[in-house]
Amino acid sequence: MKMDSDFVMTINGQAVTNENTQPVYNPATRSVFAQVPDASKSQLDDTVSAARQAFGSWSVTPVEERQAALERFADLIEENAEGIMALLTREQGKPRAGAEWEVFGSAAWLRATGSLRLPEETVDETDERRVITRHTPVGVVGAIVPWNFPILLAIWKIAPALMAGCTIIVKPSPYTPLCDLKIVELAQQVLPPGVLSAVSGGDDLGKWMTAHPDINKIAFTGSTETGRHVMRSAADTIKRVTLELGGNDPAIVLPDVDAKALAPELFWAAFQNSGQFCNSTKRLYIHEAVYDEVRDALVDFITNNISVGDGADADTDLGPIQNSMQYGKVQGYFADCHSNGYQFALGGEIDESAAGWFVPVSLVDNPPEDSRIVQEEPFGPILPLLKWSDEADVIARANDTIYGLGASVWGKDLEAVERIGRQLEAGTVWLNEVHQYSPFQAFGGHKQSGLGCENSLHGLMEYTNWQTTTLNKNRIASDG
Ligand code: NAD
């Protein structure tokens, strides 16, 4: 299969197009390099019908067969990895290292999720009665995916849905549809028609999915604002929802750190994927005793080691902002910092004449706590550095947000690190490390960062309904 052309939807196992198309841009050049079908409402209806049809047999396919299909899907991704990685860099902008992590990570996630087994619990077993609680597949799933990790975040939904016995329809972000269309097309070699489909289109397609009466669950990753729309729309048909939403992750640095040694870790915590990462460190709270040292070590590390450019160039560490809408938002945060007179320790000026949507790595030097750059999620390579001196105060500041996705604490005093970590309101709290994920580790947000979780047995269960069966062993027999 060619990876760099012929982008089609997959509906009922067939390649499907539409005379209406949408452009896809290379963010490093701001130029259109592909077109994808813009699905109609009736094409979505066809996709849902096929998924419903396929659900009948897929839901009763033995779990070992479903696992084997996931493993073959993982093999196909690995066999085509070079082409997929090049395409991912071209449509998303991320450099090779990030593309490798995402593509091979996706294959690893498929295999690991395939090894999970839903428990069947016997809650009562006596001479009279047997009561069992088990998990049944929820039905047809709609997966709505963002543009920052388009492949991995689709796989985080596809793998558990298929293992639970559901069928699933993937709707990629209109900004990054290509890799998702290709991997779903590849998967048709190992899955029956209708089990895994992909439709491309704009935000309206997402709305049609959340309102569709025959979709049973929406697995959504995206912004908190869109998450609210999804939840409202799902209410009409009491759809199940898993929502993985925005974040404003704090990192707290204690006074005993070695600034120079820590600088690379803190840099990647904040700037991986050019800051377009739900779990980026978005507020860096540094103890006042080491504030200047940590700030200067960060500036030094970035200046000497990090280059921003086209992800297709071998020496690029950070790619461009993925799309013009996000570029505009990030420009707004720079303008707000300038108009309020906040100081930049590094960066601060965007060269708008650059070929792509490039933004320099920028550090804002101790802006006020109530500034937009501290309170909001910029989703770009700009990070506020903030001073703290009192432990209770910094914990309160870290928690003073509608978000609760991730957080981290850094220091040699492990007792203090753990003590502070336990008081942070976030779904994942990393202590002296960051961005460690696993298919066996539940991932989700507290507060307005989400609802439910992905990964682990808990994430798999989100694709199921609880079912309790009770058997009275004697009644009919004794009546007879
Ligand atoms: P977005 O909310 O704009 O879009 C996400 C998806 O929703 C896209 O596929 C889009 O087409 C679709 N959509 C838009 N409007 C819709 C509607 N009304 N109904 C249904 N679907 C609709 O988000 P984005 O800009 O693509 O992604 C960035 C955001 O995602 C950030 O806030 C980031 O923090 C968050 N994110 C969260 C996680 C997580 O796991 N918690 C992971 C990655 C990204």
Side-chain angles (χ1 to χ4, degrees):
M1 182 194 299
K2 282 202 286 186
M3 282 296 153
D4 57 357
S5 63
D6 308 325
F7 300 103
V8 292
M9 304 190 286
T10 299
I11 300 176
N12 202 17
Q14 303 296 312
V16 175
T17 58
N18 188 304
E19 59 185 13
N20 296 323
T21 60
Q22 292 197 330
V24 182
Y25 290 80
N26 179 342
T29 61
R30 311 189 198 205
S31 58
V32 174
F33 73 99
Q35 296 282 338
V36 291
D38 186 4
S40 65
K41 174 85 171 55
S42 76
Q43 284 178 319
L44 175 66
D45 289 341
D46 292 346
T47 316
V48 176
S49 304
R52 173 66 50 202
Q53 178 75 28
F55 177 68
S57 52
W58 183 252
S59 58
V60 293
T61 298
V63 69
E64 294 75 18
E65 277 180 44
R66 300 204 291 252
Q67 177 179 12
L70 259 61
E71 290 193 355
R72 292 202 297 279
F73 185 14
D75 294 342
L76 285 170
I77 288 178
E78 285 176 342
E79 285 159 22
N80 290 277
E82 277 303 328
I84 300 173
M85 287 189 293
L87 184 62
L88 181 58
T89 295
R90 207 162 172 209
E91 73 168 334
Q92 206 287 329
K94 64 184 65 191
R96 169 80 184 198
E100 255 177 30
W101 184 81
E102 183 161 355
V103 170
F104 287 97
S106 296
W109 241 268
L110 280 167
R111 293 203 179 91
T113 309
S115 72
L116 295 175
R117 291 293 178 271
L118 289 161
E120 191 166 294
E121 193 186 357
T122 304
V123 290
D124 194 8
E125 177 81 84
T126 61
D127 289 345
E128 289 80 40
R129 298 179 76 232
R130 179 184 306 138
V131 179
I132 293 173
T133 298
R134 64 182 194 126
H135 299 267
T136 60
V138 78
V140 174
V141 176
I144 301 180
V145 181
W147 47 260
N148 58 346
F149 293 91
I151 306 177
L152 190 68
L153 296 179
I155 292 292
W156 281 19
K157 297 163 182 55
I158 295 169
L162 297 185
M163 281 313 291
C166 299
T167 55
I168 179 163
I169 300 161
V170 176
K171 188 205 87 62
S173 165
Y175 296 113
T176 53
L178 303 179
C179 287
D180 283 341
L181 292 182
K182 283 294 175 190
I183 62 163
V184 171
E185 202 185 341
L186 270 180
Q188 302 312 305
Q189 296 174 33
V190 299
L191 291 168
V195 169
L196 169 59
S197 309
V199 284
S200 50
D203 293 347
D204 277 351
L205 181 55
K207 290 184 193 162
W208 298 335
M209 287 170 74
T210 59
H212 203 290
D214 216 20
I215 291 181
N216 304 99
K217 174 193 167 87
I218 294 288
F220 174 83
T221 302
S223 63
T224 294
E225 191 46 43
T226 310
R228 293 188 188 106
H229 290 294
V230 170
M231 203 166 166
R232 265 184 220 118
S233 177
D236 284 339
T237 48
I238 315 289
K239 280 186 184 45
R240 278 68 183 137
V241 289
T242 300
L243 303 175
E244 296 287 1
L245 309 178
N248 194 3
D249 293 10
I252 298 176
V253 176
L254 303 192
D256 61 0
V257 297
D258 174 343
K260 203 166 154 28
L262 191 58
E265 304 247 22
L266 295 178
F267 168 76
W268 288 111
F271 293 101
Q272 183 67 258
N273 214 36
S274 301
Q276 303 166 110
F277 193 171
C278 53
N279 265 143
S280 287
T281 293
K282 294 181 181 125
R283 297 174 286 153
L284 183 55
Y285 291 99
I286 307 166
H287 191 276
E288 62 179 3
V290 286
Y291 181 89
D292 290 0
E293 245 180 286
V294 171
R295 178 196 58 206
D296 295 348
L298 270 170
V299 170
D300 194 50
F301 172 77
I302 297 165
T303 310
N304 291 310
N305 294 286
I306 300 303
S307 76
V308 176
D310 186 339
D313 296 340
D315 57 356
T316 293
D317 300 294
L318 297 181
I321 294 295
Q322 200 279 323
N323 58 68
S324 63
M325 177 275 302
Q326 189 60 34
Y327 182 70
K329 278 194 189 171
V330 173
Q331 281 175 313
Y333 287 102
F334 279 75
D336 185 72
C337 288
H338 285 300
S339 69
N340 284 291
Y342 308 149
Q343 297 299 306
F344 282 85
L346 184 72
E349 297 299 332
I350 299 177
D351 174 6
E352 289 169 13
S353 68
W357 291 304
F358 296 111
V359 172
V361 177
S362 298
L363 302 174
V364 190
D365 199 356
N366 204 26
E369 194 71 18
D370 64 356
S371 56
R372 281 187 59 206
I373 193 62
V374 176
Q375 293 296 317
E376 299 177 14
E377 181 189 32
F379 225 60
I382 174 170
L383 174 72
L385 312 183
L386 300 146
K387 271 186 203 171
W388 69 275
S389 54
D390 177 75
E391 188 176 305
D393 179 60
V394 76
I395 292 168
R397 287 159 73 191
N399 287 337
D400 184 18
T401 165
I402 61 164
Y403 297 111
L405 193 57
S408 62
V409 187
W410 305 82
K412 289 187 182 143
D413 177 352
L414 296 187
E415 214 175 285
V417 166
E418 284 201 275
R419 180 178 67 237
I420 294 170
R422 283 179 172 275
Q423 296 174 74
L424 297 177
E425 299 165 356
T428 305
V429 177
W430 285 289
L431 305 177
N432 286 337
E433 61 177 21
V434 74
H435 299 168
Q436 300 296 322
Y437 301 92
S438 153
F440 305 112
Q441 186 177 311
F443 174 73
H446 292 191
K447 303 194 273 188
Q448 294 185 38
S449 283
L451 191 67
C453 71
E454 295 193 301
N455 303 326
S456 79
L457 204 47
H458 304 289
L460 179 60
M461 285 179 187
E462 299 225 354
Y463 291 84
T464 67
N465 285 312
W466 298 94
Q467 184 181 63
T468 298
T469 59
T470 77
L471 171 69
N472 188 313
K473 297 180 182 175
N474 299 327
R475 174 139 334 134
I476 299 296
S478 60
D479 282 357

